[in-house]
Amino acid sequence: MGERKSQTIEERVVALLKANHKDLPAFVRAVEALALPDDDVAGFLDEMGASLASEDRTIGALELWDKAAKMYEDQARLEEVAGLYANMGPIAAKTGDIPRGIRFSRKRKAEELAAQLEPDPELVYHVSSDLGAMYAELGDWEKAMYENSRALEVSRATNNCPGQINALLALAQVSLARQDLVPARSEAMGAFSLAHSCGDRLLEAEAMRAVGDVSEAASEHQQALRQYEQGLALEVMSPDPEIRAQLHFAMSVACDAMGDAAGAARERNLADAVGLPADAEDEDSDA
């Protein structure tokens, strides 16, 4: 990249984004102009996109990455193309444009690009799990099931314990959304058993919440409460505010279903008291 102070360049890129937020092609051209004569321009744009993404300036990051990906593709650098499009998918979905996220994740099909390279199961898992989450957001349960099933298959083949657990939890959510409670319970319990055998208390807590969700969907409210309480006991051993808040909120739903208004209010208050950080402001507000 030549001799340059990284922070100074990053600050200049942010300034260019603010100055050109209504003309993103001009922003991309201006950032390209910052590259030194001996720079790998595609790599430079990739790096600057990552810098913007780390600051939640996702719109600018995606513009730089899109141009970098096209340059990588022109240079037949398939590994970089596949990795970049795989990263762009969930970032685009995070902005609320899920169809665009899916297009990025399937652009030239990152999984197909990976197949042209040396086998890269980690990339295939990454793409499949991201696509599964995006299709689930759109309510396309068949495609969500397919992608999450493939993520599970790949993670099993590579003995990726957290990957298997997360894939099972994703499958359980899809089954639950489809009201297929038998497979949902099996998947959630499978995730819990695997998390227990791997000694991952946080994933155990998350899996037990999923088990409770299935019980709640089956109108087994008392059982759901016990399972959520078990999840909270596990979360204490590996604290995570988001999981804790989700468990308390789930308990409030179960209490409501049983007509326990006081218990529901107590659990909602406990969920609120966790004090999760507020969502980051839209980048348009600081561009």
Side-chain angles (χ1 to χ4, degrees), residues 202 235 238-245 274 276:
L202 186 56
E235 184 272 336
S238 184
D240 183 285
E242 185 173 357
I243 297 298
R244 191 183 323 139
V274 170
L276 292 176

Side-chain angles (χ1 to χ4, degrees), residues 124-142:
V124 175
Y125 171 81
H126 176 25
V127 172
S128 293
S129 58
D130 288 338
L131 281 169
M134 288 186 276
Y135 282 128
E137 284 287 328
L138 293 177
D140 192 334
W141 307 124
E142 292 299 328

Side-chain angles (χ1 to χ4, degrees), residues 9-19 27 51-52 55 57 286-287:
I9 290 295
E10 291 168 355
E11 289 175 350
R12 291 175 69 184
V13 170
V14 170
L16 287 170
L17 177 58
K18 290 180 177 180
F27 161 66
S51 174
L52 290 177
E55 298 182 16
R57 301 178 188 277
D286 57 17

Side-chain angles (χ1 to χ4, degrees), residues 46-91:
D46 189 350
E47 180 185 337
M48 293 301 102
S51 174
L52 290 177
S54 71
E55 298 182 16
D56 290 329
R57 301 178 188 277
T58 52
I59 293 176
L62 287 170
E63 292 297 321
L64 295 182
W65 278 342
D66 199 22
K67 182 60 179 291
K70 290 180 174 67
M71 296 176 77
Y72 283 148
E73 199 160 4
D74 289 343
Q75 297 164 15
R77 295 163 64 177
L78 296 185
E79 186 172 356
E80 287 93 338
V81 175
L84 199 47
Y85 278 134
N87 288 332
M88 290 164 70
I91 294 293

Side-chain angles (χ1 to χ4, degrees), residues 31 41-43 53 59 81 97 110 132 134 141-142 146 154 171 180 182 192-193 197 203 214-215 227 269:
V31 175
V41 178
I59 293 176
V81 175
D97 192 345
M134 288 186 276
W141 307 124
E142 292 299 328
Y146 170 78
V154 172
L171 285 167
D180 293 336
V182 172
F192 176 75
S193 297
S197 67
L203 283 175
V214 179
S215 295
Q227 288 160 342
N269 288 337

Side-chain angles (χ1 to χ4, degrees), residues 200-240:
D200 192 318
R201 294 289 179 265
L202 186 56
L203 283 175
E204 273 191 272
E206 191 169 355
M208 188 48 62
R209 179 180 62 82
V211 174
D213 288 346
V214 179
S215 295
E216 180 62 23
S219 297
E220 299 165 352
H221 308 302
Q222 288 285 2
Q223 180 169 307
L225 278 174
R226 289 194 295 272
Q227 288 160 342
Y228 294 142
E229 287 169 353
Q230 186 177 348
L232 283 170
L234 289 163
E235 184 272 336
V236 167
M237 293 183 274
S238 184
D240 183 285

